[in-house]
């Protein structure tokens, strides 16, 4: 159990990383700024991402002791019958509004480095941080979706260079936040006489998170970030092999290894990196109810058009992929909430799986729901107290 007293000070770096509470396993809501959130489904109750719904959700989550809200940086829908992610709220303005309306919860902005001038982004983030009294966090993304960049008339750089650019970008941001006056003579930015006041609350800086999956992306996170956001889909795919029934023990063995490898890589850069992952929660009083609803939302009513578009963006098509492999990837994306860990079951089962991931070394889980306002109250009432009982959460 973590020490609350040591993390209480608003704006301190330790306090920011701890999200000002003693919860050993941090829990956040992922993707609420995007329509349908993380489930490419056609069910009528799918998430709207409207501002009134986001505001209601943030207040409810703040009150219930949820640790953070993590938006998705998305500019253009993926198509399909629902135009998955076709309606989105911009994350820095979204975070600012929600920080003004809440008391305790940390709210991230997810920023595409190539789309924002770093001095504008630094100022917007400081403004959000001032509004929230030191509760703003940055999720930095280098970008991967070509169509989104074309929409801005911005050319997507080749992969290695994306992270060279992101390095300069974050260097400028950190210097702007430090309060010093500086010139910057880089390959991408040539800035003269920069002054940016105020700085972030407490004279520190917001927590920085990144979700690069490649070796270069991961090395970038190790050099620059406090937290690394990773996906468990590789471990789940590897454990599934060709069989339909996934061996849970094997999944956890692979996940433990994955987390340990990331932490070991962080130590090579002199960092104790915090590792997070994401998933989709469908929690119901009985296992059958949970599984039935999961089947209804993620299989029977999957938005296959959107799923195929997302796979095509990752260069996975029926033309270049063997039919059985393509079918497996398609079904994985639909049934596992766009690549997240599927927590489907009773409160006991969901809590047990959260606890297992906490014990595997994850510092936090960012989860999504088909409709947050329908589903989060039950999750908070039933799952959070179970995690408190096993020592992974403090009393709210
Ligand atoms: C959990 C998670 C969340 C992500 N969130 C976003 C996002 O909000 N916006 C975005 O454009 N990319 C997002 N990404 C994509 C990553 O930023 C990154 O581009 C991708 O994982 C590919 O890694 P690479 O750049 O190292 O090749 C996310 C990835 C993961 C695993």
């Amino acid at each position: 159990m973590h020490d609350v007293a040591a993390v209480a000070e608003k704006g301190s770096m330790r306090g920011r990383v701890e999200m000002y509470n003693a919860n050993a396993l941090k829990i956040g809501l992922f993707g609420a700024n995007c329509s349908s959130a993380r489930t490419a489904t056609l069910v009528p109750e799918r998430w709207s991402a409207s501002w009134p719904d986001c505001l209601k959700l943030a207040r409810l989550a703040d009150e219930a002791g949820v640790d953070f809200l993590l938006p998705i940086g998305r500019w253009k829908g993926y198509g399909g019958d629902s135009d998955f992610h076709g309606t989105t709220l911009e994350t820095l303005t979204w975070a600012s509004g929600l920080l003004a309306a809440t008391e305790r919860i940390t709210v991230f902005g997810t920023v595409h480095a190539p789309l924002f001038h770093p001095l504008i982004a630094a100022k917007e983030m400081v403004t959000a941080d001032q509004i929230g009294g030191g509760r703003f966090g940055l999720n930095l993304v280098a970008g991967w979706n070509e169509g989104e960049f074309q929409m801005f008339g911005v050319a997507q750089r080749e992969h290695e260079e994306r992270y060279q650019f992101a390095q300069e970008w974050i260097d400028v941001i950190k210097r702007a936040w430090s309060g010093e006056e500086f010139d910057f003579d880089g390959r991408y930015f040539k800035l003269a006489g920069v002054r940016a006041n105020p700085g972030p609350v407490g004279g520190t800086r917001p927590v920085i998170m990144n979700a690069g999956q490649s070796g270069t992306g991961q090395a970038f996170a190790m050099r620059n970030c406090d937290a690394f956001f990773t996906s468990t889909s590789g471990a789940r795919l590897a454990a599934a092999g060709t069989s339909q029934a996934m061996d849970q023990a094997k999944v956890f063995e692979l996940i433990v290894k994955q987390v340990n490898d990331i932490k070991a890589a962080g130590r090579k850069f002199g960092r104790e990196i915090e590792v997070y992952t994401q998933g989709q929660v469908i929690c119901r009083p009985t296992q059958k109810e949970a599984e039935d609803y999961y089947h209804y939302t993620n299989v029977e009513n999957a938005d296959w058009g959107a799923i195929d578009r997302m796979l095509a963006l990752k260069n996975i098509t029926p033309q270049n992929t063997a039919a059985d492999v393509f079918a497996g990837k398609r079904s994985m994306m639909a049934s596992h909430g766009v690549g997240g860990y599927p927590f489907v079951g009773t409160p006991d089962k969901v809590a047990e799986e959260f606890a297992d991931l906490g014990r595997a070394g994850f510092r936090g889980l960012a989860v999504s729901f088909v409709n947050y306002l329908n589903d989060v109250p039950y999750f908070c009432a039933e799952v959070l107290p179970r995690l408190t009982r096993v020592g992974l959460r403090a009393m709210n």
Side-chain angles (χ1 to χ4, degrees), residues 96 191 299 383:
S96 298
L191 315 173
V299 182
V383 176

Side-chain angles (χ1 to χ4, degrees), residues 20 27 55-56 76 81 85 121 134 157 186 268 299 316 323 354:
Y20 310 114
I27 294 176
L55 183 60
K56 230 182 276 173
K76 188 176 184 182
D81 289 342
H85 286 183
R157 293 180 177 85
K268 284 197 191 132
V299 182
I316 302 167
F354 272 52

Side-chain angles (χ1 to χ4, degrees), residues 320-368:
N320 66 16
T321 312
D324 57 333
V325 177
F326 184 76
K329 290 199 182 275
R330 207 172 180 240
S331 133
M332 180 89 171
M333 186 167 264
S335 61
H336 291 182
V338 197
Y341 191 102
F343 301 98
V344 180
T346 60
D348 279 340
K349 179 164 185 282
V350 171
E352 209 175 284
E353 289 182 342
F354 272 52
D356 281 342
L357 290 177
R359 290 187 201 106
F362 280 112
R363 185 66 157 99
L365 308 175
V367 290
S368 60

